[in-house]
Amino acid sequence: MPSWNVHTAHAERLLSDARFDAFGIVDANAFLFGNYVPDVYVGFMVPDVSFRIDYCVTHAARVEAIPVPDADYFWDQYVAHRRPSSPAGESLVLGAWAHLVADCFYNREFRKVQSSYPSLDGDTLRSYKQADFDLFGRMLRAQSYVQITDELLKAAHKFLPYRIATEDVEKTVRIASEITRKSESFCPGDEQYRMLDSEWLNNVFEACHEHVAVWLQTWRQLEAEEASFMAVDICARAGQ
């Protein structure tokens, strides 16, 4: 999975996109937090959370060596059919979906790379992959921080797949902030990628960003057209 500095950079890129107004993200702070949410209860990024949920459950993925999340399933379950009732809640869910899309893109593409390293065992592959993702994330120099607000805490508490406790929101934000601080102040030295390269990583970053941007833009357009059609229909009925 991409490291959190990569997820932060993706959120920043989306929020700076010229098409941002058409994405339906009302609360940027909740959206940024949502980009960490699927990892919170896995217990790896936030080791002292209140309870744990398996990665393949929080990411809607099949159990495999390098699992690929089913972002479409998450969308159908928690955006298309069970919409949150608040702007922060909806933005948080969209952020969680964007996280799953990113994990899907990076893990799926990495599967194609690993076949070129038949001599490496699974643990070494995962270690090299995560080291490369982390270095790439630091190169991106993310600089956004989640602010703990009442709206965010309410949205986290009402997150549809599972309730996120206040203390776990606070722990998550502390860890994410520390990662961002390290990325923000990163000065490239002698670090080298172990398996991947900057071209591969940048290509996956751009492909992932474009997928999320086009998906959200198309979704909002369809919603606007449906709302317009319903308004016209109601007016026509009123005139009968």
Side-chain angles (χ1 to χ4, degrees):
M1 64 180 186
S3 49
W4 276 9
N5 44 26
V6 175
H7 285 295
T8 303
H10 271 292
E12 289 180 347
R13 174 66 184 279
L14 196 71
L15 295 171
S16 67
D17 194 294
R19 298 165 290 182
F20 170 69
D21 288 344
F23 294 158
I25 301 170
V26 179
D27 189 322
N29 186 62
F31 177 76
L32 176 59
F33 180 75
N35 274 266
Y36 311 131
V37 160
D39 287 341
V40 171
Y41 285 119
V42 175
F44 178 71
M45 293 302 303
V46 191
D48 57 344
V49 282
S50 303
F51 57 92
R52 296 193 178 188
I53 307 175
D54 186 82
Y55 175 96
C56 290
V57 175
T58 64
H59 288 67
R62 290 189 297 178
V63 179
E64 298 174 291
I66 300 178
V68 175
D70 191 342
D72 291 349
Y73 171 83
F74 183 92
W75 180 276
D76 289 340
Q77 291 294 310
Y78 303 113
V79 180
H81 300 303
R82 286 199 287 168
R83 298 280 290 279
S85 58
S86 71
E90 183 160 356
S91 297
L92 190 154
V93 169
L94 291 178
W97 168 78
H99 174 110
L100 299 187
V101 173
D103 275 17
C104 176
F105 267 73
Y106 285 83
N107 284 3
R108 184 183 63 202
E109 293 304 312
F110 183 79
R111 282 182 172 183
K112 302 173 185 177
V113 173
Q114 69 172 340
S115 61
S116 301
Y117 297 87
S119 63
L120 297 181
D121 60 66
D123 288 340
T124 302
L125 278 169
R126 281 188 291 273
S127 175
Y128 285 2
K129 172 173 70 81
Q130 290 308 127
D132 283 355
F133 286 167
D134 180 60
L135 177 56
F136 177 59
R138 284 181 284 149
M139 292 284 191
L140 293 171
R141 298 200 181 183
Q143 52 187 312
S144 295
Y145 296 85
V146 173
Q147 303 301 315
I148 298 177
T149 65
D150 288 341
E151 291 79 7
L152 178 67
L153 294 176
K154 290 176 183 176
H157 185 82
K158 294 181 179 180
F159 183 57
L160 292 173
Y162 41 84
R163 173 182 176 271
I164 305 171
T166 296
E167 59 266 31
D168 295 327
V169 173
E170 294 170 346
K171 293 171 185 175
T172 300
V173 171
R174 281 199 299 271
I175 291 171
S177 296
E178 181 60 27
I179 292 171
T180 298
R181 274 191 289 272
K182 290 180 179 178
S183 295
E184 195 174 15
S185 60
F186 176 65
C187 294
D190 297 328
E191 295 90 344
Q192 298 290 328
Y193 291 117
R194 299 186 179 188
M195 295 181 65
L196 308 173
D197 57 49
S198 58
E199 181 180 8
W200 186 95
L201 288 157
N202 281 307
N203 286 341
V204 176
F205 185 95
E206 291 300 326
C208 178
H209 169 73
E210 191 61 17
H211 178 89
V212 172
V214 170
W215 185 294
L216 291 179
Q217 188 175 29
T218 302
W219 165 60
R220 292 303 290 171
Q221 273 184 319
L222 291 173
E223 281 206 327
E225 290 171 4
E226 183 179 350
S228 177
F229 175 80
M230 290 178 64
V232 170
D233 184 55
I234 290 172
C235 291
R237 291 183 182 183
Q240 289 178 351

Short mmCIF file of all heavy atoms in Angstrom, two decimals, residues 159-207:
data_model
loop_
_atom_site.label_atom_id
_atom_site.label_comp_id
_atom_site.label_asym_id
_atom_site.label_seq_id
_atom_site.Cartn_x
_atom_site.Cartn_y
_atom_site.Cartn_z
N PHE A 159 -19.03 7.33 10.68
CA PHE A 159 -18.51 6.67 9.49
C PHE A 159 -19.24 5.35 9.28
O PHE A 159 -19.31 4.52 10.19
CB PHE A 159 -17.01 6.44 9.65
CG PHE A 159 -16.32 5.84 8.45
CD1 PHE A 159 -16.38 6.45 7.20
CD2 PHE A 159 -15.59 4.66 8.57
CE1 PHE A 159 -15.74 5.90 6.10
CE2 PHE A 159 -14.95 4.10 7.48
CZ PHE A 159 -15.02 4.72 6.25
N LEU A 160 -19.82 5.17 8.12
CA LEU A 160 -20.76 4.07 7.90
C LEU A 160 -20.19 2.66 8.07
O LEU A 160 -20.84 1.81 8.68
CB LEU A 160 -21.40 4.22 6.51
CG LEU A 160 -22.32 5.43 6.36
CD1 LEU A 160 -22.75 5.58 4.91
CD2 LEU A 160 -23.54 5.30 7.25
N PRO A 161 -18.99 2.35 7.57
CA PRO A 161 -18.49 0.98 7.75
C PRO A 161 -18.22 0.61 9.21
O PRO A 161 -18.44 -0.53 9.62
CB PRO A 161 -17.20 0.97 6.93
CG PRO A 161 -17.37 2.06 5.94
CD PRO A 161 -18.15 3.13 6.67
N TYR A 162 -17.69 1.57 10.02
CA TYR A 162 -17.40 1.30 11.42
C TYR A 162 -17.12 2.64 12.11
O TYR A 162 -16.55 3.56 11.54
CB TYR A 162 -16.18 0.36 11.59
CG TYR A 162 -15.04 0.67 10.65
CD1 TYR A 162 -14.09 1.65 10.94
CD2 TYR A 162 -14.93 -0.01 9.43
CE1 TYR A 162 -13.07 1.94 10.05
CE2 TYR A 162 -13.91 0.27 8.54
CZ TYR A 162 -12.98 1.25 8.86
OH TYR A 162 -11.98 1.54 7.98
N ARG A 163 -17.55 2.72 13.37
CA ARG A 163 -17.36 3.95 14.14
C ARG A 163 -15.88 4.16 14.43
O ARG A 163 -15.18 3.23 14.82
CB ARG A 163 -18.14 3.85 15.45
CG ARG A 163 -17.91 4.99 16.42
CD ARG A 163 -18.70 4.76 17.69
NE ARG A 163 -18.44 5.78 18.69
CZ ARG A 163 -17.47 5.71 19.60
NH1 ARG A 163 -16.65 4.67 19.62
NH2 ARG A 163 -17.31 6.67 20.48
N ILE A 164 -15.41 5.39 14.25
CA ILE A 164 -14.02 5.74 14.58
C ILE A 164 -14.04 6.56 15.87
O ILE A 164 -14.59 7.67 15.91
CB ILE A 164 -13.36 6.54 13.44
CG1 ILE A 164 -13.46 5.77 12.12
CG2 ILE A 164 -11.89 6.83 13.78
CD1 ILE A 164 -13.03 6.56 10.92
N ALA A 165 -13.48 6.00 16.91
CA ALA A 165 -13.51 6.64 18.23
C ALA A 165 -12.68 7.91 18.24
O ALA A 165 -11.68 8.03 17.51
CB ALA A 165 -13.00 5.67 19.29
N THR A 166 -13.07 8.84 19.10
CA THR A 166 -12.38 10.13 19.20
C THR A 166 -10.90 9.95 19.49
O THR A 166 -10.05 10.60 18.87
CB THR A 166 -13.02 11.00 20.30
OG1 THR A 166 -14.37 11.32 19.92
CG2 THR A 166 -12.24 12.30 20.49
N GLU A 167 -10.57 9.06 20.44
CA GLU A 167 -9.16 8.87 20.77
C GLU A 167 -8.37 8.30 19.60
O GLU A 167 -7.17 8.60 19.44
CB GLU A 167 -9.01 7.94 21.99
CG GLU A 167 -9.59 6.56 21.82
CD GLU A 167 -11.02 6.44 22.33
OE1 GLU A 167 -11.75 7.45 22.25
OE2 GLU A 167 -11.40 5.34 22.79
N ASP A 168 -9.03 7.54 18.73
CA ASP A 168 -8.34 6.99 17.57
C ASP A 168 -8.18 8.04 16.47
O ASP A 168 -7.22 7.99 15.71
CB ASP A 168 -9.09 5.76 17.05
CG ASP A 168 -9.08 4.62 18.07
OD1 ASP A 168 -8.08 4.51 18.81
OD2 ASP A 168 -10.06 3.87 18.13
N VAL A 169 -9.13 8.97 16.39
CA VAL A 169 -8.95 10.10 15.48
C VAL A 169 -7.72 10.90 15.90
O VAL A 169 -6.87 11.25 15.07
CB VAL A 169 -10.19 11.02 15.48
CG1 VAL A 169 -9.93 12.29 14.66
CG2 VAL A 169 -11.42 10.30 14.95
N GLU A 170 -7.61 11.16 17.19
CA GLU A 170 -6.49 11.95 17.70
C GLU A 170 -5.15 11.24 17.45
O GLU A 170 -4.17 11.88 17.05
CB GLU A 170 -6.70 12.21 19.19
CG GLU A 170 -7.90 13.11 19.47
CD GLU A 170 -8.26 13.17 20.95
OE1 GLU A 170 -7.76 12.32 21.73
OE2 GLU A 170 -9.06 14.05 21.33
N LYS A 171 -5.10 9.94 17.69
CA LYS A 171 -3.87 9.18 17.45
C LYS A 171 -3.51 9.20 15.97
O LYS A 171 -2.33 9.36 15.60
CB LYS A 171 -4.05 7.74 17.92
CG LYS A 171 -4.19 7.59 19.43
CD LYS A 171 -4.58 6.17 19.79
CE LYS A 171 -4.85 6.03 21.28
NZ LYS A 171 -5.35 4.67 21.64
N THR A 172 -4.51 9.04 15.12
CA THR A 172 -4.28 9.04 13.68
C THR A 172 -3.72 10.37 13.21
O THR A 172 -2.77 10.43 12.42
CB THR A 172 -5.58 8.73 12.93
OG1 THR A 172 -6.06 7.43 13.33
CG2 THR A 172 -5.38 8.75 11.43
N VAL A 173 -4.31 11.44 13.68
CA VAL A 173 -3.88 12.78 13.27
C VAL A 173 -2.45 13.05 13.74
O VAL A 173 -1.66 13.65 13.00
CB VAL A 173 -4.86 13.85 13.79
CG1 VAL A 173 -4.30 15.25 13.56
CG2 VAL A 173 -6.21 13.71 13.11
N ARG A 174 -2.11 12.61 14.94
CA ARG A 174 -0.73 12.82 15.43
C ARG A 174 0.27 12.10 14.53
O ARG A 174 1.30 12.67 14.16
CB ARG A 174 -0.60 12.31 16.87
CG ARG A 174 -1.15 13.24 17.92
CD ARG A 174 -0.59 12.91 19.30
NE ARG A 174 -0.93 11.56 19.74
CZ ARG A 174 -2.03 11.25 20.42
NH1 ARG A 174 -2.90 12.19 20.72
NH2 ARG A 174 -2.25 10.01 20.80
N ILE A 175 -0.02 10.87 14.18
CA ILE A 175 0.90 10.09 13.36
C ILE A 175 0.98 10.67 11.95
O ILE A 175 2.07 10.82 11.38
CB ILE A 175 0.47 8.62 13.32
CG1 ILE A 175 0.69 8.00 14.71
CG2 ILE A 175 1.22 7.84 12.25
CD1 ILE A 175 0.12 6.62 14.87
N ALA A 176 -0.17 11.01 11.37
CA ALA A 176 -0.18 11.59 10.03
C ALA A 176 0.58 12.92 10.00
O ALA A 176 1.31 13.21 9.04
CB ALA A 176 -1.62 11.79 9.56
N SER A 177 0.42 13.70 11.05
CA SER A 177 1.11 15.00 11.12
C SER A 177 2.62 14.83 11.19
O SER A 177 3.37 15.58 10.56
CB SER A 177 0.61 15.80 12.33
OG SER A 177 -0.76 16.11 12.21
N GLU A 178 3.07 13.83 11.95
CA GLU A 178 4.50 13.58 12.06
C GLU A 178 5.07 13.13 10.72
O GLU A 178 6.17 13.55 10.31
CB GLU A 178 4.77 12.51 13.12
CG GLU A 178 6.24 12.18 13.33
CD GLU A 178 7.06 13.40 13.75
OE1 GLU A 178 6.50 14.34 14.36
OE2 GLU A 178 8.28 13.41 13.45
N ILE A 179 4.34 12.29 10.01
CA ILE A 179 4.78 11.85 8.68
C ILE A 179 4.86 13.04 7.72
O ILE A 179 5.81 13.17 6.95
CB ILE A 179 3.82 10.78 8.13
CG1 ILE A 179 3.95 9.49 8.96
CG2 ILE A 179 4.10 10.49 6.65
CD1 ILE A 179 2.90 8.44 8.64
N THR A 180 3.87 13.91 7.78
CA THR A 180 3.86 15.09 6.91
C THR A 180 5.01 16.03 7.25
O THR A 180 5.66 16.59 6.36
CB THR A 180 2.52 15.83 7.02
OG1 THR A 180 1.47 14.97 6.59
CG2 THR A 180 2.51 17.08 6.15
N ARG A 181 5.29 16.21 8.54
CA ARG A 181 6.41 17.08 8.93
C ARG A 181 7.73 16.56 8.36
O ARG A 181 8.55 17.34 7.87
CB ARG A 181 6.49 17.17 10.47
CG ARG A 181 5.60 18.23 11.08
CD ARG A 181 5.92 18.46 12.54
NE ARG A 181 5.49 17.34 13.37
CZ ARG A 181 4.28 17.23 13.90
NH1 ARG A 181 3.37 18.17 13.67
NH2 ARG A 181 3.97 16.19 14.66
N LYS A 182 7.92 15.24 8.41
CA LYS A 182 9.15 14.66 7.88
C LYS A 182 9.23 14.83 6.36
O LYS A 182 10.31 15.06 5.81
CB LYS A 182 9.22 13.19 8.25
CG LYS A 182 9.47 12.94 9.73
CD LYS A 182 9.53 11.45 10.04
CE LYS A 182 9.79 11.22 11.53
NZ LYS A 182 9.82 9.77 11.86
N SER A 183 8.09 14.71 5.69
CA SER A 183 8.07 14.88 4.24
C SER A 183 8.28 16.33 3.84
O SER A 183 8.99 16.64 2.89
CB SER A 183 6.74 14.37 3.66
OG SER A 183 6.61 12.98 3.87
N GLU A 184 7.66 17.21 4.62
CA GLU A 184 7.74 18.65 4.32
C GLU A 184 9.17 19.16 4.42
O GLU A 184 9.59 20.03 3.66
CB GLU A 184 6.83 19.40 5.29
CG GLU A 184 6.53 20.82 4.91
CD GLU A 184 5.52 21.47 5.84
OE1 GLU A 184 5.27 20.92 6.93
OE2 GLU A 184 4.97 22.52 5.48
N SER A 185 9.94 18.59 5.36
CA SER A 185 11.32 19.07 5.57
C SER A 185 12.35 18.16 4.91
O SER A 185 13.55 18.30 5.17
CB SER A 185 11.60 19.14 7.08
OG SER A 185 11.45 17.86 7.68
N PHE A 186 11.91 17.24 4.07
CA PHE A 186 12.82 16.26 3.47
C PHE A 186 13.82 16.92 2.52
O PHE A 186 13.45 17.72 1.67
CB PHE A 186 12.01 15.20 2.72
CG PHE A 186 12.86 14.19 2.00
CD1 PHE A 186 13.66 13.31 2.70
CD2 PHE A 186 12.84 14.11 0.61
CE1 PHE A 186 14.45 12.37 2.05
CE2 PHE A 186 13.61 13.17 -0.06
CZ PHE A 186 14.42 12.30 0.67
N CYS A 187 15.08 16.56 2.68
CA CYS A 187 16.14 17.03 1.77
C CYS A 187 16.76 15.80 1.10
O CYS A 187 17.41 14.99 1.79
CB CYS A 187 17.21 17.79 2.53
SG CYS A 187 16.64 19.33 3.26
N PRO A 188 16.57 15.62 -0.19
CA PRO A 188 17.10 14.43 -0.87
C PRO A 188 18.61 14.31 -0.68
O PRO A 188 19.34 15.28 -0.77
CB PRO A 188 16.75 14.69 -2.34
CG PRO A 188 15.59 15.63 -2.28
CD PRO A 188 15.84 16.52 -1.10
N GLY A 189 19.03 13.09 -0.39
CA GLY A 189 20.45 12.81 -0.22
C GLY A 189 20.88 11.67 -1.11
O GLY A 189 20.72 11.73 -2.33
N ASP A 190 21.37 10.63 -0.49
CA ASP A 190 21.86 9.48 -1.25
C ASP A 190 20.83 8.35 -1.36
O ASP A 190 21.15 7.25 -1.79
CB ASP A 190 23.13 8.92 -0.60
CG ASP A 190 24.26 9.94 -0.61
OD1 ASP A 190 24.32 10.74 -1.56
OD2 ASP A 190 25.06 9.93 0.34
N GLU A 191 19.59 8.63 -0.93
CA GLU A 191 18.57 7.59 -0.96
C GLU A 191 18.32 7.10 -2.39
O GLU A 191 18.29 7.90 -3.33
CB GLU A 191 17.25 8.10 -0.38
CG GLU A 191 17.32 8.45 1.10
CD GLU A 191 17.71 9.89 1.32
OE1 GLU A 191 18.21 10.51 0.36
OE2 GLU A 191 17.52 10.39 2.43
N GLN A 192 18.15 5.81 -2.52
CA GLN A 192 17.90 5.22 -3.83
C GLN A 192 16.69 4.28 -3.75
O GLN A 192 16.47 3.64 -2.73
CB GLN A 192 19.12 4.41 -4.30
CG GLN A 192 20.39 5.23 -4.48
CD GLN A 192 20.31 6.17 -5.68
OE1 GLN A 192 19.66 5.85 -6.68
NE2 GLN A 192 20.97 7.31 -5.59
N TYR A 193 15.92 4.24 -4.82
CA TYR A 193 14.84 3.28 -4.89
C TYR A 193 15.42 1.87 -4.99
O TYR A 193 16.46 1.66 -5.64
CB TYR A 193 13.94 3.56 -6.09
CG TYR A 193 13.14 4.84 -5.97
CD1 TYR A 193 13.33 5.90 -6.86
CD2 TYR A 193 12.20 4.98 -4.95
CE1 TYR A 193 12.59 7.07 -6.75
CE2 TYR A 193 11.46 6.16 -4.83
CZ TYR A 193 11.66 7.19 -5.73
OH TYR A 193 10.93 8.36 -5.61
N ARG A 194 14.77 0.91 -4.39
CA ARG A 194 15.28 -0.46 -4.36
C ARG A 194 14.73 -1.31 -5.50
O ARG A 194 15.43 -2.17 -6.03
CB ARG A 194 14.96 -1.10 -3.01
CG ARG A 194 15.58 -0.36 -1.84
CD ARG A 194 15.37 -1.09 -0.54
NE ARG A 194 15.99 -0.38 0.57
CZ ARG A 194 16.10 -0.84 1.80
NH1 ARG A 194 15.62 -2.05 2.09
NH2 ARG A 194 16.66 -0.13 2.75
N MET A 195 13.48 -1.10 -5.84
CA MET A 195 12.86 -1.90 -6.90
C MET A 195 12.24 -1.03 -7.99
O MET A 195 12.25 -1.37 -9.16
CB MET A 195 11.78 -2.81 -6.33
CG MET A 195 12.27 -3.88 -5.38
SD MET A 195 10.91 -4.92 -4.78
CE MET A 195 10.41 -5.71 -6.32
N LEU A 196 11.66 0.08 -7.58
CA LEU A 196 10.92 0.94 -8.50
C LEU A 196 11.81 2.08 -8.96
O LEU A 196 12.98 2.16 -8.63
CB LEU A 196 9.66 1.46 -7.80
CG LEU A 196 8.79 0.36 -7.16
CD1 LEU A 196 7.66 0.97 -6.35
CD2 LEU A 196 8.25 -0.58 -8.23
N ASP A 197 11.25 3.01 -9.73
CA ASP A 197 11.98 4.21 -10.13
C ASP A 197 11.01 5.36 -10.22
O ASP A 197 9.78 5.18 -10.16
CB ASP A 197 12.73 4.00 -11.45
CG ASP A 197 11.81 3.60 -12.60
OD1 ASP A 197 10.77 4.25 -12.80
OD2 ASP A 197 12.13 2.62 -13.30
N SER A 198 11.53 6.57 -10.34
CA SER A 198 10.69 7.76 -10.32
C SER A 198 9.69 7.79 -11.47
O SER A 198 8.56 8.25 -11.31
CB SER A 198 11.55 9.02 -10.33
OG SER A 198 12.39 9.04 -11.48
N GLU A 199 10.08 7.28 -12.63
CA GLU A 199 9.16 7.27 -13.77
C GLU A 199 7.96 6.38 -13.49
O GLU A 199 6.81 6.79 -13.71
CB GLU A 199 9.87 6.79 -15.03
CG GLU A 199 8.97 6.78 -16.26
CD GLU A 199 9.67 6.29 -17.51
OE1 GLU A 199 10.83 5.83 -17.41
OE2 GLU A 199 9.07 6.38 -18.60
N TRP A 200 8.19 5.19 -12.98
CA TRP A 200 7.11 4.26 -12.65
C TRP A 200 6.18 4.88 -11.63
O TRP A 200 4.96 4.87 -11.77
CB TRP A 200 7.70 2.95 -12.12
CG TRP A 200 6.69 1.85 -11.88
CD1 TRP A 200 6.35 0.85 -12.74
CD2 TRP A 200 5.92 1.65 -10.68
NE1 TRP A 200 5.40 0.04 -12.15
CE2 TRP A 200 5.11 0.50 -10.89
CE3 TRP A 200 5.81 2.32 -9.46
CZ2 TRP A 200 4.23 0.01 -9.93
CZ3 TRP A 200 4.92 1.84 -8.50
CH2 TRP A 200 4.15 0.71 -8.74
N LEU A 201 6.76 5.43 -10.57
CA LEU A 201 5.97 5.99 -9.47
C LEU A 201 5.17 7.21 -9.93
O LEU A 201 3.99 7.35 -9.60
CB LEU A 201 6.89 6.36 -8.31
CG LEU A 201 7.45 5.15 -7.55
CD1 LEU A 201 8.73 5.51 -6.81
CD2 LEU A 201 6.40 4.60 -6.58
N ASN A 202 5.78 8.08 -10.71
CA ASN A 202 5.05 9.25 -11.20
C ASN A 202 3.93 8.87 -12.16
O ASN A 202 2.87 9.49 -12.15
CB ASN A 202 6.02 10.22 -11.89
CG ASN A 202 6.80 11.06 -10.89
OD1 ASN A 202 6.23 11.70 -10.02
ND2 ASN A 202 8.12 11.04 -11.01
N ASN A 203 4.16 7.85 -12.98
CA ASN A 203 3.12 7.40 -13.90
C ASN A 203 1.91 6.84 -13.14
O ASN A 203 0.75 7.12 -13.50
CB ASN A 203 3.66 6.34 -14.86
CG ASN A 203 4.56 6.92 -15.93
OD1 ASN A 203 4.54 8.12 -16.20
ND2 ASN A 203 5.38 6.08 -16.55
N VAL A 204 2.17 6.06 -12.10
CA VAL A 204 1.07 5.52 -11.30
C VAL A 204 0.35 6.65 -10.57
O VAL A 204 -0.89 6.66 -10.49
CB VAL A 204 1.59 4.47 -10.29
CG1 VAL A 204 0.44 3.98 -9.40
CG2 VAL A 204 2.20 3.28 -11.03
N PHE A 205 1.12 7.60 -10.06
CA PHE A 205 0.51 8.75 -9.36
C PHE A 205 -0.44 9.49 -10.29
O PHE A 205 -1.59 9.79 -9.91
CB PHE A 205 1.62 9.69 -8.87
CG PHE A 205 1.11 10.85 -8.05
CD1 PHE A 205 1.07 10.77 -6.66
CD2 PHE A 205 0.68 12.03 -8.65
CE1 PHE A 205 0.60 11.83 -5.90
CE2 PHE A 205 0.21 13.09 -7.91
CZ PHE A 205 0.18 13.00 -6.52
N GLU A 206 -0.01 9.79 -11.50
CA GLU A 206 -0.83 10.55 -12.44
C GLU A 206 -2.06 9.75 -12.87
O GLU A 206 -3.16 10.29 -12.99
CB GLU A 206 -0.01 10.94 -13.66
CG GLU A 206 1.07 11.97 -13.37
CD GLU A 206 0.50 13.28 -12.82
OE1 GLU A 206 -0.62 13.66 -13.23
OE2 GLU A 206 1.16 13.91 -11.98
N ALA A 207 -1.87 8.45 -13.12
CA ALA A 207 -3.00 7.62 -13.54
C ALA A 207 -4.05 7.53 -12.44
O ALA A 207 -5.26 7.60 -12.70
CB ALA A 207 -2.51 6.23 -13.92
#
